[in-house]
Amino acid sequence: MKFERRDLILIAGLILVMIGLIQYLGPAYSAIIVIGLYFGVKIYVGKKRQLIEQDVGEGICMECGFKITNQRCLNCEKLEE
């Protein structure tokens, strides 16, 4: 897993969740929960990204969001006709 800029936002949000949980569970339990949430989110996003890369193929049309095949968007071609 590569560290990216949006991971800082995830970490900041999880630190705030941990601060909120400390009141009810204590520091050790809240840290364990937050670490589990971090890796859970990273795994979920990684699997979603793999599914998108497998399903998309050549790319996505910037106008309609449809799948591009043979370097053409079939949805936009239907709308032009």
Side-chain angles (χ1 to χ4, degrees), residues 11 20 51 78:
I11 291 170
L51 285 174
K78 289 179 186 176

Side-chain angles (χ1 to χ4, degrees), residues 1 10 14 33-46:
M1 290 186 285
L10 176 63
L14 289 174
I33 291 171
V34 166
I35 290 169
L37 283 173
Y38 176 78
F39 286 110
V41 168
K42 291 294 282 183
I43 290 170
Y44 176 76
V45 169

Side-chain angles (χ1 to χ4, degrees), residues 21-71:
L21 287 176
I22 286 176
Q23 311 175 51
Y24 303 108
L25 300 175
Y29 291 119
S30 62
I32 291 170
I33 291 171
V34 166
I35 290 169
L37 283 173
Y38 176 78
F39 286 110
V41 168
K42 291 294 282 183
I43 290 170
Y44 176 76
V45 169
K47 287 187 179 191
K48 275 292 202 189
R49 192 174 284 174
Q50 283 179 347
L51 285 174
I52 290 171
E53 287 175 2
Q54 290 173 358
D55 188 40
V56 170
E58 294 181 30
I60 297 175
C61 178
M62 294 301 287
E63 293 185 24
C64 66
F66 201 73
K67 182 177 173 182
I68 294 177
T69 53
N70 296 328
Q71 298 179 347

